[in-house]
Amino acid sequence: MGSQSKRLKAAYENVDRKAVYELVEAVKKIKAAAGVKFDETVEIAMNLGVDPRHADQNVRGVVSLPNGTGKSVRVAVFAKGAKAEEAQKAGADLVGAEDLAEKIQAGEMNFDRCIATPDMMPVVGRLGKVLGPRGLMPNPKLGTVTTDVAGAIKAVKGGQVEFRVEKAGIVHAGVGKTSFGEDALVENIRAFVDAISRAKPSGAKGTYIKRISLSSTMGPGVRVEVGSIHG
C-alpha cells in the first residue's frame, strides 16, 4: 500500500460518514485529512429544496469570498479600444473582439471566466453554444457584462465565485484551499452559505437548505450541521 493510499485510509477512518459535524469541527477534519503533495481545493456541496427545471426555483448568483479562493483565475475579456487597454492594465489574461471569438470557436478555451463590454454582446452572443454549456457566457446579472471591466476583473481575480444550482438541486463550489487557516475557511464557507440563503427563489417550498457537506480534492466528504454555520 503506497503512502498516499495509507494516508487516505487513515483519513477516511477519522471521519464517520454518517455523522453530522459542527462547522469548525468539519473544517478541522478536512484539513487533517489533506495530503502534503499539493494544496487541495476545499469544496462545498449543498442540497437545496428546489427543482431548477422551474424558472421560479432557479438559484444563481455570485459571491465574493472574504479570503479569496486560493486559485489563480484566468480571465478573457471581450472589449475594444480604450476598454481593451483598461482590461490589459487590470490583468486580463486574454483580450480581444472578433479575433478572440474566432479563437474560442476554434476550441481555444484557456480561461476560467469571461467578461464583456455591452457593445461586444452581438459578437459574444454568437458563441452561446460554446460558452453556454461551460457556464462561461457573460451575464449582466453576474456583473460580467459591464463597462467597468477593471472592476469586474478585480472581483473575479480577488475571490468572486459564481454559483448555479444543478438539475438535482445541488450547488457546489470551491471555497478555499486546505492550506488556508481554519478561520479563513470558516469565514469563506459562511459567506457562501449566506449568499445561497439570500438567493432563495420565490418558488422554493419546504426546507430550503437540506444538507451541506465539505470535501477536499482527495479527501473524504464530511457532513456539516446546517444550524452550526452561524453557531
Side-chain angles (χ1 to χ4, degrees), residues 1-2 5 9 17 24 42 69 94 136 158 177 201 209-210:
M1 192 186 274
S5 50
K9 187 166 181 282
R17 304 306 294 276
V24 176
V42 176
T69 59
L94 297 160
L136 290 168
K177 295 282 189 180
I209 298 174
K210 292 180 162 182

Side-chain angles (χ1 to χ4, degrees), residues 168-231:
I170 296 170
V171 169
H172 52 72
V175 286
K177 295 282 189 180
T178 48
S179 61
F180 282 22
E182 277 170 32
D183 291 351
L185 282 169
V186 165
E187 275 181 15
N188 276 3
I189 291 160
R190 284 183 174 146
F192 187 83
V193 174
D194 282 351
I196 298 295
S197 298
R198 285 195 302 274
K200 182 177 179 177
S202 56
K205 304 277 186 290
T207 306
Y208 174 51
I209 298 174
K210 292 180 162 182
R211 179 176 170 149
I212 299 174
S213 56
L214 297 173
S215 61
S216 63
T217 312
M218 307 287 288
V222 179
R223 272 191 70 184
V224 181
E225 202 178 295
V226 177
S228 75
I229 296 293
H230 290 290

Side-chain angles (χ1 to χ4, degrees), residues 14-213:
N14 186 34
V15 172
D16 181 346
R17 304 306 294 276
K18 294 190 182 76
V20 182
Y21 295 94
E22 184 269 328
L23 175 60
V24 176
E25 186 62 24
V27 166
K28 281 182 178 157
K29 289 202 173 285
I30 292 289
K31 279 177 66 64
V36 287
K37 291 269 167 52
F38 72 103
D39 196 6
E40 297 175 38
T41 297
V42 176
E43 295 198 355
I44 188 167
M46 297 176 66
N47 297 59
L48 306 178
V50 296
D51 181 351
R53 289 173 301 186
H54 300 290
D56 67 347
Q57 292 189 44
N58 203 6
V59 179
R60 187 175 187 190
V62 289
V63 55
S64 288
L65 299 179
N67 302 295
T69 59
K71 109 179 197 194
S72 57
V73 180
R74 287 184 60 82
V75 181
V77 179
F78 280 93
K80 280 182 168 169
K83 287 291 166 191
E85 280 175 40
E86 188 186 316
Q88 296 275 18
K89 280 189 188 137
D93 299 277
L94 297 160
V95 182
E98 283 83 359
D99 54 332
L100 180 55
E102 279 170 25
K103 280 183 187 167
I104 291 168
Q105 284 285 24
E108 284 185 47
M109 303 280 286
N110 191 16
F111 54 90
D112 310 297
R113 296 286 283 280
C114 188
I115 292 163
T117 53
D119 60 312
M120 293 306 302
M121 284 314 285
V123 174
V124 179
R126 298 200 290 271
L127 299 168
K129 286 197 174 101
V130 188
L131 296 175
R134 293 175 173 81
L136 290 168
M137 196 68 187
N139 183 317
K141 283 186 187 159
L142 303 176
T144 43
V145 176
T146 177
T147 52
D148 180 12
V149 289
I153 292 163
K154 190 172 174 229
V156 165
K157 286 190 173 268
Q160 191 189 66
V161 172
E162 274 188 29
F163 56 83
R164 187 177 195 170
V165 70
E166 292 166 19
K167 275 182 196 156
I170 296 170
V171 169
H172 52 72
V175 286
K177 295 282 189 180
T178 48
S179 61
F180 282 22
E182 277 170 32
D183 291 351
L185 282 169
V186 165
E187 275 181 15
N188 276 3
I189 291 160
R190 284 183 174 146
F192 187 83
V193 174
D194 282 351
I196 298 295
S197 298
R198 285 195 302 274
K200 182 177 179 177
S202 56
K205 304 277 186 290
T207 306
Y208 174 51
I209 298 174
K210 292 180 162 182
R211 179 176 170 149
I212 299 174
S213 56

